[in-house]
Amino acid sequence: MVAFSHTDTGTTEAEWLSSGVAALPELPLGQDELADMAFVVLAAHPDDETLGAGGFVAKLHSSGAAVELLLCTAGEASHPESPTTTPEQLAAVRLAEFDAAVSGLAPSATWKFLGLPDGKLAANAGRIAEAIRDAISAHNRPPENIVIVAPYRHDGHTDHDAVGATAAKVAEEDGHGLLEYPIWYWLWAGLDDPTWQSWVRVPLSGRELETKGKAMGAHTSQIEPLSEEPGDGTLLSGTFLEHFERPWETFAWQPSKAGNNTAADAERIFDEVHAKGDDPWAYTTSWYERRKRALTLAALPEESYESGLELGCSIGTLSEELAQRCQAFLGVEASGIAAKKAAERLSAYPSAEARHLTIPHEWPEGSFDLVVLSEMGYYLAPEELADVFGHIKAAMKPGGTLLLCHWRHPISGWQLDAEAVHSMARQQLAWPTLGVYREKDFVLETLVAPAPAVSDGPT
Protein backbone atom coordinates (compact mmCIF):
# COMPACT_ATOMS: atom_id res chain seq x y z
CA MET A 1 0.00 0.00 0.00
CA VAL A 2 1.28 3.46 -0.92
CA ALA A 3 1.85 5.84 1.99
CA PHE A 4 0.61 9.40 1.44
CA SER A 5 -1.44 12.15 3.07
CA HIS A 6 -3.98 14.48 1.52
CA THR A 7 -1.80 17.32 2.79
CA ASP A 8 1.18 16.22 0.67
CA THR A 9 2.15 18.43 -2.25
CA GLY A 10 2.99 15.37 -4.33
CA THR A 11 3.46 15.52 -8.07
CA THR A 12 2.12 18.84 -9.29
CA GLU A 13 -0.23 19.26 -12.21
CA ALA A 14 2.42 21.28 -14.04
CA GLU A 15 4.72 18.27 -13.78
CA TRP A 16 2.04 15.92 -15.07
CA LEU A 17 1.35 18.17 -18.03
CA SER A 18 5.03 17.96 -18.96
CA SER A 19 4.97 14.17 -18.81
CA GLY A 20 3.09 13.40 -22.01
CA VAL A 21 -0.16 12.41 -20.28
CA ALA A 22 -1.96 14.94 -22.50
CA ALA A 23 -0.89 12.92 -25.55
CA LEU A 24 -2.36 9.60 -24.44
CA PRO A 25 -4.65 8.00 -27.06
CA GLU A 26 -8.36 8.58 -26.84
CA LEU A 27 -10.77 5.96 -25.54
CA PRO A 28 -11.84 4.12 -28.70
CA LEU A 29 -15.57 4.49 -28.17
CA GLY A 30 -17.62 6.89 -30.27
CA GLN A 31 -20.94 8.52 -29.41
CA ASP A 32 -22.94 5.80 -31.19
CA GLU A 33 -21.08 3.05 -29.33
CA LEU A 34 -21.62 4.78 -25.99
CA ALA A 35 -25.32 5.12 -26.70
CA ASP A 36 -25.65 1.36 -27.19
CA MET A 37 -24.04 0.54 -23.86
CA ALA A 38 -25.00 0.61 -20.19
CA PHE A 39 -22.55 1.90 -17.60
CA VAL A 40 -22.38 1.00 -13.92
CA VAL A 41 -20.32 3.67 -12.17
CA LEU A 42 -18.91 2.95 -8.72
CA ALA A 43 -17.76 5.46 -6.12
CA ALA A 44 -16.15 4.49 -2.84
CA HIS A 45 -17.10 7.89 -1.39
CA PRO A 46 -19.16 10.87 -2.51
CA ASP A 47 -16.99 13.02 -4.86
CA ASP A 48 -15.01 10.09 -6.32
CA GLU A 49 -17.45 9.91 -9.21
CA THR A 50 -17.06 13.61 -9.97
CA LEU A 51 -13.31 13.86 -9.54
CA GLY A 52 -12.41 10.84 -11.61
CA ALA A 53 -15.27 10.44 -14.07
CA GLY A 54 -17.62 13.43 -13.79
CA GLY A 55 -17.00 14.67 -17.32
CA PHE A 56 -17.38 11.17 -18.71
CA VAL A 57 -20.68 10.70 -16.87
CA ALA A 58 -21.90 13.97 -18.39
CA LYS A 59 -20.81 12.73 -21.82
CA LEU A 60 -22.68 9.47 -21.29
CA HIS A 61 -25.82 11.39 -20.38
CA SER A 62 -25.62 13.52 -23.52
CA SER A 63 -25.02 10.42 -25.69
CA GLY A 64 -28.13 8.70 -24.33
CA ALA A 65 -26.30 5.86 -22.61
CA ALA A 66 -27.88 4.13 -19.63
CA VAL A 67 -26.04 5.12 -16.44
CA GLU A 68 -26.39 3.81 -12.90
CA LEU A 69 -24.17 4.86 -10.00
CA LEU A 70 -23.40 2.76 -6.93
CA LEU A 71 -22.18 4.73 -3.93
CA CYS A 72 -20.47 2.41 -1.47
CA THR A 73 -20.08 4.66 1.60
CA ALA A 74 -21.28 8.06 2.72
CA GLY A 75 -17.70 9.18 3.32
CA GLU A 76 -18.48 9.75 6.98
CA ALA A 77 -14.83 9.26 8.01
CA SER A 78 -13.39 12.13 5.97
CA HIS A 79 -13.01 14.36 9.06
CA PRO A 80 -12.35 11.94 11.95
CA GLU A 81 -11.21 14.69 14.32
CA SER A 82 -14.00 17.16 13.64
CA PRO A 83 -15.17 18.87 16.87
CA THR A 84 -18.35 20.19 15.20
CA THR A 85 -19.73 17.41 13.03
CA THR A 86 -20.40 13.80 13.97
CA PRO A 87 -19.90 11.02 11.43
CA GLU A 88 -23.66 10.62 11.23
CA GLN A 89 -24.14 14.30 10.49
CA LEU A 90 -21.35 14.29 7.94
CA ALA A 91 -22.88 11.23 6.24
CA ALA A 92 -26.16 13.09 5.75
CA VAL A 93 -24.33 16.14 4.35
CA ARG A 94 -22.25 14.10 1.93
CA LEU A 95 -25.18 12.06 0.65
CA ALA A 96 -27.02 15.29 -0.16
CA GLU A 97 -23.89 16.59 -1.90
CA PHE A 98 -23.63 13.38 -3.93
CA ASP A 99 -27.26 13.63 -5.02
CA ALA A 100 -26.78 17.24 -6.13
CA ALA A 101 -23.58 16.40 -8.02
CA VAL A 102 -25.04 13.39 -9.85
CA SER A 103 -28.23 15.27 -10.70
CA GLY A 104 -26.09 17.92 -12.37
CA LEU A 105 -23.86 15.47 -14.23
CA ALA A 106 -26.55 13.14 -15.53
CA PRO A 107 -30.15 14.00 -14.67
CA SER A 108 -31.37 10.75 -16.22
CA ALA A 109 -28.98 8.54 -14.20
CA THR A 110 -30.11 6.49 -11.22
CA TRP A 111 -28.05 5.86 -8.11
CA LYS A 112 -28.06 3.53 -5.16
CA PHE A 113 -26.40 3.88 -1.76
CA LEU A 114 -24.93 0.62 -0.47
CA GLY A 115 -24.57 1.89 3.11
CA LEU A 116 -21.15 0.29 3.72
CA PRO A 117 -18.73 1.62 6.38
CA ASP A 118 -16.20 4.20 5.27
CA GLY A 119 -12.66 2.83 5.43
CA LYS A 120 -13.73 -0.83 5.59
CA LEU A 121 -14.63 -1.72 2.01
CA ALA A 122 -11.95 -4.39 1.76
CA ALA A 123 -14.03 -6.47 4.17
CA ASN A 124 -17.16 -5.96 2.07
CA ALA A 125 -15.98 -7.07 -1.37
CA GLY A 126 -18.71 -9.69 -1.59
CA ARG A 127 -21.50 -7.19 -1.02
CA ILE A 128 -20.00 -4.82 -3.58
CA ALA A 129 -19.72 -7.58 -6.18
CA GLU A 130 -23.34 -8.57 -5.53
CA ALA A 131 -24.50 -4.98 -5.96
CA ILE A 132 -22.58 -4.65 -9.25
CA ARG A 133 -24.13 -7.82 -10.64
CA ASP A 134 -27.61 -6.78 -9.48
CA ALA A 135 -27.24 -3.45 -11.27
CA ILE A 136 -25.97 -5.15 -14.42
CA SER A 137 -28.78 -7.71 -14.50
CA ALA A 138 -31.38 -4.95 -14.46
CA HIS A 139 -30.14 -3.68 -17.83
CA ASN A 140 -30.78 -7.01 -19.61
CA ARG A 141 -27.99 -6.50 -22.15
CA PRO A 142 -25.23 -8.75 -23.54
CA PRO A 143 -22.11 -8.73 -21.32
CA GLU A 144 -20.05 -6.91 -23.92
CA ASN A 145 -22.54 -4.02 -23.90
CA ILE A 146 -22.01 -3.37 -20.19
CA VAL A 147 -19.07 -1.29 -18.92
CA ILE A 148 -18.11 -0.99 -15.26
CA VAL A 149 -16.52 2.33 -14.24
CA ALA A 150 -14.66 2.20 -10.94
CA PRO A 151 -11.76 3.68 -8.97
CA TYR A 152 -8.33 2.53 -10.10
CA ARG A 153 -7.54 -0.68 -8.22
CA HIS A 154 -4.03 0.56 -7.29
CA ASP A 155 -5.01 4.12 -6.40
CA GLY A 156 -3.36 3.90 -2.98
CA HIS A 157 -6.48 4.49 -0.87
CA THR A 158 -7.70 1.30 0.80
CA ASP A 159 -11.33 1.86 -0.15
CA HIS A 160 -10.53 2.84 -3.73
CA ASP A 161 -8.31 -0.20 -4.13
CA ALA A 162 -10.97 -2.52 -2.72
CA VAL A 163 -13.74 -1.22 -4.98
CA GLY A 164 -11.46 -1.22 -8.00
CA ALA A 165 -10.24 -4.77 -7.41
CA THR A 166 -13.80 -6.02 -6.95
CA ALA A 167 -14.99 -4.27 -10.10
CA ALA A 168 -12.05 -5.72 -12.06
CA LYS A 169 -12.85 -9.22 -10.82
CA VAL A 170 -16.51 -8.95 -11.84
CA ALA A 171 -15.59 -7.52 -15.24
CA GLU A 172 -13.08 -10.31 -15.89
CA GLU A 173 -15.36 -13.12 -14.71
CA ASP A 174 -18.52 -11.90 -16.42
CA GLY A 175 -17.07 -10.47 -19.64
CA HIS A 176 -17.71 -6.74 -19.18
CA GLY A 177 -15.63 -3.76 -20.20
CA LEU A 178 -13.85 -1.90 -17.41
CA LEU A 179 -12.80 1.72 -17.03
CA GLU A 180 -10.71 2.56 -13.93
CA TYR A 181 -10.29 6.17 -12.90
CA PRO A 182 -7.30 7.29 -10.80
CA ILE A 183 -7.67 9.89 -8.07
CA TRP A 184 -4.95 9.83 -5.43
CA TYR A 185 -2.57 8.30 -7.97
CA TRP A 186 -2.01 11.77 -9.42
CA LEU A 187 -0.72 12.92 -6.02
CA TRP A 188 1.75 10.17 -5.12
CA ALA A 189 2.85 8.68 -8.44
CA GLY A 190 5.99 9.85 -10.18
CA LEU A 191 6.23 10.75 -13.83
CA ASP A 192 8.53 7.77 -14.45
CA ASP A 193 5.87 5.29 -13.33
CA PRO A 194 5.13 3.32 -16.53
CA THR A 195 1.55 2.47 -15.48
CA TRP A 196 -0.14 5.60 -16.80
CA GLN A 197 1.52 5.30 -20.19
CA SER A 198 -0.92 2.53 -21.23
CA TRP A 199 -4.03 4.49 -20.23
CA VAL A 200 -6.48 6.38 -22.42
CA ARG A 201 -8.03 9.84 -22.41
CA VAL A 202 -11.62 10.94 -22.75
CA PRO A 203 -11.62 14.52 -24.11
CA LEU A 204 -14.22 16.78 -22.53
CA SER A 205 -16.11 19.48 -24.33
CA GLY A 206 -16.33 22.94 -22.79
CA ARG A 207 -19.86 22.18 -21.64
CA GLU A 208 -18.85 18.85 -20.09
CA LEU A 209 -15.95 20.49 -18.28
CA GLU A 210 -18.24 23.21 -16.97
CA THR A 211 -20.79 20.61 -15.83
CA LYS A 212 -18.06 18.71 -14.00
CA GLY A 213 -16.86 21.90 -12.31
CA LYS A 214 -20.35 22.69 -11.04
CA ALA A 215 -20.77 19.13 -9.76
CA MET A 216 -17.46 19.37 -7.90
CA GLY A 217 -18.71 22.57 -6.36
CA ALA A 218 -21.60 20.60 -4.86
CA HIS A 219 -19.14 18.66 -2.66
CA THR A 220 -18.73 21.60 -0.32
CA SER A 221 -17.68 19.53 2.70
CA GLN A 222 -14.58 18.39 0.83
CA ILE A 223 -13.45 21.56 -0.92
CA GLU A 224 -14.18 24.00 1.91
CA PRO A 225 -13.58 23.77 5.68
CA LEU A 226 -16.41 22.50 7.85
CA SER A 227 -15.57 25.29 10.28
CA GLU A 228 -12.60 27.28 11.51
CA GLU A 229 -11.94 24.73 14.25
CA PRO A 230 -8.93 22.38 14.11
CA GLY A 231 -9.97 19.09 12.56
CA ASP A 232 -12.48 20.76 10.23
CA GLY A 233 -10.01 21.84 7.56
CA THR A 234 -10.39 21.52 3.81
CA LEU A 235 -9.73 17.98 2.64
CA LEU A 236 -9.06 18.59 -1.08
CA SER A 237 -6.63 21.42 -1.67
CA GLY A 238 -6.70 23.69 -4.67
CA THR A 239 -3.44 22.25 -6.01
CA PHE A 240 -4.85 18.73 -5.77
CA LEU A 241 -8.06 19.73 -7.56
CA GLU A 242 -5.98 21.03 -10.47
CA HIS A 243 -5.49 17.41 -11.55
CA PHE A 244 -9.23 17.19 -12.23
CA GLU A 245 -9.63 20.45 -14.10
CA ARG A 246 -7.99 19.10 -17.25
CA PRO A 247 -10.05 19.18 -20.47
CA TRP A 248 -9.94 15.38 -20.45
CA GLU A 249 -10.22 12.48 -18.02
CA THR A 250 -7.88 9.53 -17.86
CA PHE A 251 -8.77 5.86 -17.47
CA ALA A 252 -7.18 2.45 -17.44
CA TRP A 253 -9.24 0.72 -20.13
CA GLN A 254 -10.01 -3.00 -20.33
CA PRO A 255 -12.44 -3.89 -23.14
CA SER A 256 -14.95 -6.71 -22.75
CA LYS A 257 -13.57 -10.22 -23.05
CA ALA A 258 -17.01 -11.72 -23.64
CA GLY A 259 -17.31 -14.25 -26.44
CA ASN A 260 -15.51 -17.43 -27.36
CA ASN A 261 -15.49 -17.43 -31.17
CA THR A 262 -12.58 -19.17 -32.90
CA ALA A 263 -10.98 -19.30 -36.35
CA ALA A 264 -13.60 -21.80 -37.47
CA ASP A 265 -16.34 -19.34 -36.50
CA ALA A 266 -14.52 -16.58 -38.40
CA GLU A 267 -14.70 -18.60 -41.62
CA ARG A 268 -18.47 -18.97 -41.32
CA ILE A 269 -19.10 -15.42 -40.11
CA PHE A 270 -17.05 -13.75 -42.83
CA ASP A 271 -18.43 -15.95 -45.58
CA GLU A 272 -21.84 -14.63 -44.54
CA VAL A 273 -20.56 -11.04 -44.56
CA HIS A 274 -18.84 -11.30 -47.95
CA ALA A 275 -21.84 -13.00 -49.50
CA LYS A 276 -23.80 -9.78 -49.02
CA GLY A 277 -21.74 -7.69 -51.44
CA ASP A 278 -18.53 -7.25 -53.38
CA ASP A 279 -17.05 -4.84 -50.82
CA PRO A 280 -18.96 -5.19 -47.50
CA TRP A 281 -16.35 -3.25 -45.50
CA ALA A 282 -16.11 -0.40 -48.05
CA TYR A 283 -12.38 -1.03 -48.50
CA THR A 284 -12.33 0.71 -51.87
CA THR A 285 -14.55 3.70 -51.07
CA SER A 286 -14.08 4.54 -47.37
CA TRP A 287 -11.63 7.34 -46.61
CA TYR A 288 -10.84 5.64 -43.31
CA GLU A 289 -9.84 2.44 -45.13
CA ARG A 290 -7.88 4.23 -47.87
CA ARG A 291 -6.05 6.41 -45.35
CA LYS A 292 -5.24 3.45 -43.10
CA ARG A 293 -3.97 1.52 -46.11
CA ALA A 294 -1.66 4.40 -47.06
CA LEU A 295 -0.31 4.60 -43.50
CA THR A 296 0.21 0.84 -43.45
CA LEU A 297 2.24 0.91 -46.64
CA ALA A 298 4.24 3.92 -45.44
CA ALA A 299 5.12 2.11 -42.22
CA LEU A 300 6.96 -0.68 -44.05
CA PRO A 301 10.69 -0.01 -43.51
CA GLU A 302 11.83 -1.56 -46.81
CA GLU A 303 10.94 -0.41 -50.30
CA SER A 304 10.73 -3.98 -51.58
CA TYR A 305 10.64 -7.53 -50.22
CA GLU A 306 11.51 -10.94 -51.61
CA SER A 307 8.45 -12.76 -50.33
CA GLY A 308 5.39 -11.31 -48.60
CA LEU A 309 2.54 -12.97 -46.72
CA GLU A 310 -0.72 -11.26 -45.72
CA LEU A 311 -2.82 -13.08 -43.14
CA GLY A 312 -6.52 -12.28 -43.51
CA CYS A 313 -6.36 -10.57 -46.90
CA SER A 314 -10.16 -10.24 -47.33
CA ILE A 315 -10.96 -9.12 -50.90
CA GLY A 316 -7.35 -8.13 -51.57
CA THR A 317 -7.32 -4.31 -51.57
CA LEU A 318 -4.18 -4.11 -49.41
CA SER A 319 -2.84 -7.26 -51.08
CA GLU A 320 -2.75 -5.52 -54.44
CA GLU A 321 -0.58 -2.75 -53.01
CA LEU A 322 1.69 -5.18 -51.16
CA ALA A 323 2.13 -7.34 -54.26
CA GLN A 324 3.71 -4.39 -56.05
CA ARG A 325 6.44 -4.25 -53.39
CA CYS A 326 7.12 -8.00 -53.21
CA GLN A 327 8.90 -10.24 -55.73
CA ALA A 328 6.50 -12.98 -54.59
CA PHE A 329 3.31 -12.47 -52.61
CA LEU A 330 0.69 -14.67 -50.97
CA GLY A 331 -2.55 -13.57 -49.37
CA VAL A 332 -4.52 -16.05 -47.26
CA GLU A 333 -8.12 -15.67 -46.13
CA ALA A 334 -10.51 -17.81 -44.07
CA SER A 335 -13.55 -16.78 -46.12
CA GLY A 336 -13.63 -18.72 -49.37
CA ILE A 337 -15.82 -16.05 -50.95
CA ALA A 338 -13.38 -13.27 -50.06
CA ALA A 339 -10.34 -15.35 -51.09
CA LYS A 340 -11.85 -15.83 -54.56
CA LYS A 341 -12.34 -12.07 -54.91
CA ALA A 342 -8.76 -11.45 -53.75
CA ALA A 343 -7.46 -13.96 -56.31
CA GLU A 344 -9.29 -12.11 -59.06
CA ARG A 345 -7.81 -8.82 -57.91
CA LEU A 346 -4.28 -10.31 -57.85
CA SER A 347 -4.58 -12.03 -61.22
CA ALA A 348 -2.79 -9.10 -62.88
CA TYR A 349 0.37 -9.91 -60.87
CA PRO A 350 2.02 -13.16 -62.03
CA SER A 351 4.00 -13.62 -58.83
CA ALA A 352 1.06 -12.99 -56.50
CA GLU A 353 -1.75 -15.28 -55.41
CA ALA A 354 -4.53 -15.63 -52.84
CA ARG A 355 -5.51 -18.88 -51.11
CA HIS A 356 -8.42 -20.01 -48.98
CA LEU A 357 -6.73 -21.11 -45.73
CA THR A 358 -7.97 -21.11 -42.14
CA ILE A 359 -5.00 -20.25 -39.97
CA PRO A 360 -3.42 -21.40 -37.73
CA HIS A 361 -4.87 -24.86 -38.49
CA GLU A 362 -3.68 -24.47 -42.09
CA TRP A 363 -0.41 -22.73 -42.80
CA PRO A 364 1.36 -22.01 -46.09
CA GLU A 365 4.77 -23.48 -46.79
CA GLY A 366 7.80 -21.32 -47.38
CA SER A 367 9.65 -18.49 -45.69
CA PHE A 368 8.93 -14.78 -45.82
CA ASP A 369 10.68 -11.48 -45.17
CA LEU A 370 7.34 -9.63 -44.81
CA VAL A 371 4.28 -10.78 -42.88
CA VAL A 372 1.24 -8.51 -42.52
CA LEU A 373 -1.45 -9.21 -39.91
CA SER A 374 -4.04 -6.49 -40.40
CA GLU A 375 -7.36 -6.38 -38.51
CA MET A 376 -7.41 -10.13 -38.15
CA GLY A 377 -5.59 -11.15 -34.95
CA TYR A 378 -8.56 -10.60 -32.65
CA TYR A 379 -10.69 -13.02 -34.68
CA LEU A 380 -8.71 -15.86 -33.14
CA ALA A 381 -8.85 -17.48 -29.74
CA PRO A 382 -5.78 -16.66 -27.61
CA GLU A 383 -4.27 -20.11 -28.10
CA GLU A 384 -4.84 -19.83 -31.86
CA LEU A 385 -3.11 -16.45 -31.98
CA ALA A 386 -0.20 -17.91 -30.02
CA ASP A 387 0.06 -20.62 -32.70
CA VAL A 388 0.03 -17.95 -35.41
CA PHE A 389 2.94 -16.13 -33.83
CA GLY A 390 4.75 -19.45 -33.50
CA HIS A 391 4.30 -20.06 -37.23
CA ILE A 392 5.40 -16.51 -38.03
CA LYS A 393 8.56 -16.92 -35.97
CA ALA A 394 9.42 -20.15 -37.77
CA ALA A 395 8.66 -18.78 -41.24
CA MET A 396 10.21 -15.31 -40.94
CA LYS A 397 13.57 -14.72 -42.56
CA PRO A 398 16.23 -13.00 -40.42
CA GLY A 399 15.71 -9.25 -40.46
CA GLY A 400 12.18 -9.63 -41.85
CA THR A 401 9.30 -7.27 -41.08
CA LEU A 402 6.11 -8.13 -39.19
CA LEU A 403 3.44 -5.44 -39.55
CA LEU A 404 0.42 -5.45 -37.24
CA CYS A 405 -2.59 -3.16 -37.68
CA HIS A 406 -5.82 -3.47 -35.67
CA TRP A 407 -9.06 -1.59 -34.95
CA ARG A 408 -9.00 -0.33 -31.36
CA HIS A 409 -12.73 -0.46 -30.69
CA PRO A 410 -14.35 -3.37 -28.81
CA ILE A 411 -14.81 -6.52 -30.89
CA SER A 412 -18.10 -8.08 -29.82
CA GLY A 413 -18.14 -11.86 -29.52
CA TRP A 414 -14.36 -12.35 -29.49
CA GLN A 415 -11.90 -12.78 -26.64
CA LEU A 416 -9.12 -10.47 -27.82
CA ASP A 417 -8.79 -6.83 -28.77
CA ALA A 418 -6.15 -4.75 -30.54
CA GLU A 419 -3.99 -4.08 -27.50
CA ALA A 420 -4.07 -7.76 -26.49
CA VAL A 421 -3.02 -8.87 -29.98
CA HIS A 422 -0.07 -6.47 -30.12
CA SER A 423 0.96 -7.25 -26.55
CA MET A 424 0.98 -10.98 -27.31
CA ALA A 425 3.17 -10.36 -30.36
CA ARG A 426 5.70 -8.36 -28.40
CA GLN A 427 5.83 -10.83 -25.51
CA GLN A 428 5.91 -14.05 -27.52
CA LEU A 429 8.28 -12.94 -30.28
CA ALA A 430 10.45 -10.57 -28.24
CA TRP A 431 11.44 -8.84 -31.48
CA PRO A 432 12.48 -5.16 -31.52
CA THR A 433 9.69 -2.70 -32.26
CA LEU A 434 10.66 -0.42 -35.12
CA GLY A 435 7.71 1.92 -34.72
CA VAL A 436 4.21 2.30 -33.29
CA TYR A 437 1.46 4.60 -34.50
CA ARG A 438 -1.70 4.76 -32.41
CA GLU A 439 -4.82 6.87 -32.82
CA LYS A 440 -8.39 6.60 -31.62
CA ASP A 441 -9.50 4.05 -34.22
CA PHE A 442 -6.48 1.84 -34.84
CA VAL A 443 -2.94 0.93 -33.80
CA LEU A 444 -0.18 0.23 -36.34
CA GLU A 445 3.08 -1.43 -35.29
CA THR A 446 6.14 -2.88 -37.02
CA LEU A 447 8.41 -5.51 -35.47
CA VAL A 448 11.68 -6.69 -37.00
CA ALA A 449 13.00 -10.24 -36.70
CA PRO A 450 16.57 -10.40 -35.41
CA ALA A 451 19.24 -10.61 -38.06
CA PRO A 452 21.81 -13.41 -37.77
CA ALA A 453 24.85 -12.62 -35.67
CA VAL A 454 27.83 -11.51 -37.73
CA SER A 455 30.89 -13.67 -37.15
CA ASP A 456 34.31 -12.05 -36.98
CA GLY A 457 35.81 -15.28 -38.31
CA PRO A 458 38.41 -17.50 -36.67
CA THR A 459 40.74 -15.96 -34.13
Side-chain angles (χ1 to χ4, degrees):
M1 180 67 67
V2 180
F4 68 90
S5 168
H6 72 277
T7 60
D8 294 343
T9 301
T11 305
T12 67
E13 180 59 9
E15 290 173 312
W16 277 116
L17 293 179
S18 71
S19 70
V21 69
L24 288 172
E26 292 184 25
L27 173 70
L29 292 175
Q31 287 287 98
D32 291 343
E33 290 169 296
L34 296 176
D36 288 338
M37 295 178 172
F39 293 80
V40 177
V41 182
L42 285 96
H45 319 98
D47 77 8
D48 292 342
E49 78 300 325
T50 304
L51 287 166
F56 183 58
V57 170
K59 185 182 294 290
L60 294 178
H61 171 70
S62 63
S63 73
V67 182
E68 181 171 357
L69 292 96
L70 299 179
L71 175 61
C72 296
T73 82
E76 67 275 10
S78 68
H79 290 76
E81 299 179 2
S82 171
T84 65
T85 309
T86 67
E88 294 75 18
Q89 291 172 328
L90 186 56
V93 168
R94 298 200 66 185
L95 287 174
E97 293 173 347
F98 180 82
D99 182 59
V102 170
S103 297
L105 293 171
S108 63
T110 59
W111 66 272
K112 180 179 180 181
F113 175 46
L114 304 188
L116 300 175
D118 190 1
K120 298 181 180 180
L121 294 185
N124 287 276
R127 292 180 63 184
I128 297 171
E130 181 181 4
I132 296 172
R133 289 190 166 105
D134 286 347
I136 288 171
S137 65
H139 289 288
N140 194 28
R141 297 176 187 237
E144 61 269 25
N145 285 1
I146 302 285
V147 177
I148 303 172
V149 184
Y152 175 45
R153 75 189 85 169
H154 303 298
D155 198 45
H157 186 295
T158 179
D159 279 350
H160 294 192
D161 295 358
V163 175
T166 302
K169 187 172 186 291
V170 172
E172 180 69 24
E173 291 178 352
D174 298 356
H176 306 298
L178 176 68
L179 284 165
E180 299 177 72
Y181 57 86
I183 293 180
W184 291 108
Y185 176 89
W186 301 119
L187 178 76
W188 59 259
L191 304 184
D192 57 350
D193 183 359
T195 306
W196 64 267
Q197 298 176 34
S198 64
W199 293 350
V200 297
R201 290 182 307 116
V202 173
L204 304 179
S205 67
R207 183 173 183 177
E208 290 160 352
L209 192 61
E210 180 182 2
T211 299
K212 176 179 179 175
K214 290 181 178 178
M216 197 61 228
H219 293 286
T220 308
S221 67
Q222 305 301 294
I223 62 175
E224 295 180 9
L226 298 179
S227 77
E228 298 300 321
E229 298 293 327
D232 275 354
T234 301
L235 186 66
L236 304 179
S237 69
T239 55
F240 178 69
L241 291 174
E242 288 178 359
H243 299 311
F244 308 98
E245 295 168 355
R246 304 166 180 169
W248 74 86
E249 288 172 340
T250 313
F251 299 88
W253 165 233
Q254 179 63 63
S256 167
K257 293 296 187 290
N260 55 3
N261 287 330
T262 65
D265 297 303
E267 181 175 7
R268 170 184 54 80
I269 291 169
F270 291 115
D271 264 343
E272 294 174 357
V273 171
H274 287 289
K276 296 177 181 178
D278 291 336
D279 187 6
W281 304 108
Y283 288 129
T284 58
T285 58
S286 162
W287 169 239
Y288 165 78
E289 292 292 345
R290 289 184 286 125
R291 173 177 172 269
K292 183 187 65 180
R293 199 154 55 242
L295 288 168
T296 298
L297 294 164
L300 295 176
E302 305 297 335
E303 183 176 2
S304 62
Y305 292 87
E306 293 181 1
S307 54
L309 171 65
E310 182 184 5
L311 304 173
C313 66
S314 188
I315 63 173
T317 48
L318 178 59
S319 307
E320 188 173 11
E321 302 273 7
L322 293 170
Q324 298 175 48
R325 293 176 62 171
C326 297
Q327 296 176 32
F329 177 81
L330 171 63
V332 302
E333 169 59 43
S335 165
I337 296 173
K340 183 178 179 180
K341 294 176 181 178
E344 294 171 355
R345 190 179 295 273
L346 291 174
S347 62
Y349 306 91
S351 62
E353 63 174 318
R355 296 183 198 165
H356 175 208
L357 296 178
T358 302
I359 63 169
H361 313 298
E362 300 173 292
W363 192 264
E365 296 180 356
S367 58
F368 309 90
D369 59 347
L370 171 64
V371 177
V372 175
L373 183 67
S374 180
E375 296 199 310
M376 183 268 177
Y378 32 53
Y379 295 123
L380 300 169
E383 60 274 12
E384 292 175 328
L385 183 60
D387 286 347
V388 166
F389 289 137
H391 284 299
I392 291 174
K393 189 170 186 177
M396 184 71 81
K397 296 178 180 180
T401 300
L402 170 61
L403 186 144
L404 306 166
C405 182
H406 289 88
W407 174 252
R408 295 187 62 239
H409 296 248
I411 309 296
S412 179
W414 306 85
Q415 300 177 59
L416 299 173
D417 60 16
E419 299 301 335
V421 170
H422 288 235
S423 177
M424 282 184 65
R426 289 189 294 268
Q427 292 177 18
Q428 184 171 340
L429 298 173
W431 291 351
T433 297
L434 184 65
V436 180
Y437 174 75
R438 182 182 282 104
E439 60 179 56
K440 180 179 179 180
D441 290 328
F442 67 91
V443 55
L444 175 65
E445 184 169 3
T446 51
L447 306 177
V448 178
V454 178
S455 173
D456 293 331
T459 57

